[in-house]
Amino acid sequence: MSSVVLFDTMATDNGFNIGVATLNQPQVLNGFSYEMATLLQQQMTQWEQDQSVVAVILTGAGDKAFCAGGDLHALYKSMLENKEGNAWDNHHAREFFEHEYRLDYHIHTYTKPVICYGDGIVMGGGMGLMIGASHRVVTETTRMAMPEISIGLFPDVGGSWILNRLPGKTGKFLAATGAQIGGLDAMFLGLGDYLIDRANWETILTALKKANWSAPQHRQHNDEVIAAVLSSYPAQSVSGAGPVETHYAQINALSRHTDIVQQYQVYAELANHSDEWLVRAAKTMLKGAPLSFALAMDLLEKTKHASLADVFRLEYNAAVHSAKLGQFQEGIRALLIDKDKNPQWSPTSVAEVTRDQIEYFYEDPMPANQPHPLADLV
């Protein structure tokens, strides 16, 4: 039985190695699991300490996705099994989110270059792996999104941190609507650093092998080596502006509201727009969990000036509580288990969401005498 993550090293012509980690569950679009997080953390720590390794590449098996999100089936099972109804009693959820967020934070703070090949679908947990990489590669097939509103969750994996740092108010819009973007908009928003044609990826790997690498302590030189290679193969298959760039002024104007109900209503009106992308974005929001919308909007405001470590700690609290509350469970049931695509949300409208309901997500889920699982992130 093959591993859920494949590890290899690619020898360079001048005596160094590049670590290659391949998510290896193409049949489920490389859905990110607890086992993947554990294996990646162990191997990336080893590569970080290995002086022969000058860089790491993250990629996904198959031709459809880098990573389409988390292993929702395992999370659903853990929610069903948690009979006590106490958030902390769901051992799988609390350990999964701890290991996933810890890995994501490690990628953000990695001492060597990390190249993430975001080809195909990059959503949810896949975004968590990609946004912290130093060199983020997108292609003509890239489909990025943070669509957690559809499953009763919220844009996690550091989503609150990165969405607050996108141009204008675009992050707020993407969090609310789960709208999908391609490589052009990934570049416009700063979620991608290099837009290439998928057909050139193997050529790029060969060029990286032949490049003039220095020892790992010369990080700036090696960053420049990667940048020079990736910049040599700009995409020819796509050009122009993506829908976010096209509607940038309108998105900013619509996203100015601080009142959550008013903001929801303004976005909802886009369901009658003439542009298909805006209509699809609004309809995704309207079908999503009202509580998820409210939490996502509040999280963005609450974390506007927070550090990356503090964002991960707060998102951890919210994620563990989400695995108890029922909305997350109902969202997975409707999408993946019964597949009726008819979730029964509660509250049923954004207007019904109370301040106490939102504040609940921010409370520490662990017993009072225990440190936060991510307390050591600095």
Side-chain angles (χ1 to χ4, degrees):
M1 187 174 176
S2 62
S3 174
V4 295
V5 189
L6 302 177
F7 298 109
D8 196 8
T9 52
M10 195 168 72
T12 71
D13 286 0
N14 66 340
F16 293 105
N17 288 303
I18 299 170
V20 182
T22 305
L23 304 183
N24 189 39
Q25 293 276 273
Q27 71 277 14
V28 289
L29 302 177
N30 299 318
F32 197 70
S33 64
Y34 174 83
E35 187 180 1
M36 282 181 171
T38 304
L39 292 172
L40 270 169
Q41 182 70 286
Q42 291 172 349
Q43 187 61 59
M44 290 194 70
T45 299
Q46 185 179 322
W47 279 336
E48 194 168 28
Q49 297 165 353
D50 186 340
Q51 292 304 296
S52 75
V53 175
V54 289
V56 171
I57 295 173
L58 299 178
T59 186
D63 59 1
K64 292 182 179 178
F66 164 61
C67 174
D71 183 357
L72 298 178
H73 284 90
L75 282 166
Y76 184 78
K77 182 172 181 284
S78 75
M79 287 184 259
L80 290 180
E81 292 173 349
N82 184 20
K83 305 297 185 187
E84 298 302 317
N86 186 314
W88 194 246
D89 290 334
N90 188 331
H91 294 269
H92 175 77
R94 78 187 204 210
E95 290 181 8
F96 171 72
F97 288 120
E98 178 188 347
H99 282 74
E100 181 182 29
Y101 293 5
R102 190 173 289 281
L103 172 65
D104 292 340
Y105 183 81
H106 192 190
I107 293 171
H108 275 272
T109 56
Y110 208 65
T111 56
K112 296 177 180 180
V114 177
I115 304 167
C116 185
Y117 182 49
D119 184 52
I121 301 169
V122 186
M123 295 184 187
M127 291 287 286
L129 295 172
M130 186 165 183
I131 58 180
S134 57
H135 298 76
R136 299 162 299 179
V137 181
V138 292
T139 75
E140 75 276 16
T141 72
T142 296
R143 284 169 53 206
M144 277 186 175
M146 296 293 281
E148 286 79 5
I149 191 171
S150 298
I151 53 168
L153 194 57
F154 61 93
D156 66 328
V157 294
S160 308
W161 186 86
I162 191 67
L163 291 168
N164 263 326
R165 283 157 178 78
L166 301 188
K169 300 284 188 182
T170 53
K172 186 178 184 180
F173 179 81
L174 295 177
T177 63
Q180 293 185 19
I181 63 168
L184 290 169
D185 272 331
M187 293 294 289
F188 171 70
L189 293 170
L191 290 169
D193 302 307
Y194 305 91
L195 176 57
I196 69 163
D197 291 325
R198 169 191 271 188
N200 284 331
W201 180 238
E202 292 299 325
T203 303
I204 287 170
L205 292 178
T206 300
L208 288 171
K209 288 182 195 176
K210 295 179 180 299
N212 181 31
W213 298 91
S214 289
Q217 59 265 35
H218 302 295
R219 169 69 190 266
Q220 187 174 356
H221 171 85
N222 289 337
D223 281 334
E224 290 291 340
V225 164
I226 298 169
V229 170
L230 293 173
S231 299
S232 299
Y233 299 91
Q236 304 298 316
S237 57
V238 285
S239 61
V244 176
E245 185 175 1
T246 300
H247 300 292
Y248 180 68
Q250 184 178 10
I251 289 171
N252 273 339
L254 292 176
S255 304
R256 70 186 185 278
H257 302 285
T258 54
D259 179 80
I260 289 177
V261 175
Q262 190 176 8
Q263 186 60 80
Y264 187 86
Q265 291 170 342
V266 168
Y267 285 154
E269 289 169 8
L270 290 173
N272 300 312
H273 201 278
S274 59
D275 181 86
E276 278 185 31
W277 184 81
L278 289 172
V279 170
R280 191 159 56 247
K283 287 184 175 179
T284 300
M285 182 197 75
L286 289 166
K287 290 178 183 175
L291 185 55
S292 291
F293 174 90
L295 177 59
M297 297 299 96
D298 199 72
L299 261 172
L300 286 176
E301 191 61 35
K302 190 176 182 69
T303 61
K304 190 177 289 184
H305 304 294
S307 69
L308 179 63
D310 284 341
V311 166
F312 272 117
R313 280 186 280 270
L314 195 61
E315 288 185 351
Y316 177 85
N317 291 2
V320 171
H321 284 305
S322 292
K324 175 214 167 186
L325 196 62
Q327 293 304 279
F328 190 21
Q329 181 177 322
E330 174 62 8
I332 300 173
R333 180 208 63 77
L335 182 69
L336 296 177
I337 308 302
D338 297 336
K339 299 181 181 179
D340 56 31
K341 296 186 179 178
N342 185 32
Q344 301 303 301
W345 302 126
S346 177
T348 59
S349 72
V350 174
E352 293 174 30
V353 178
T354 68
R355 188 69 229 170
D356 285 347
Q357 285 174 318
I358 293 176
E359 290 295 333
Y360 162 78
F361 288 98
Y362 302 145
E363 296 172 4
D364 286 341
M366 59 280 181
N369 61 341
Q370 288 191 25
H372 195 286
L374 301 178
D376 59 320
L377 303 188
V378 294

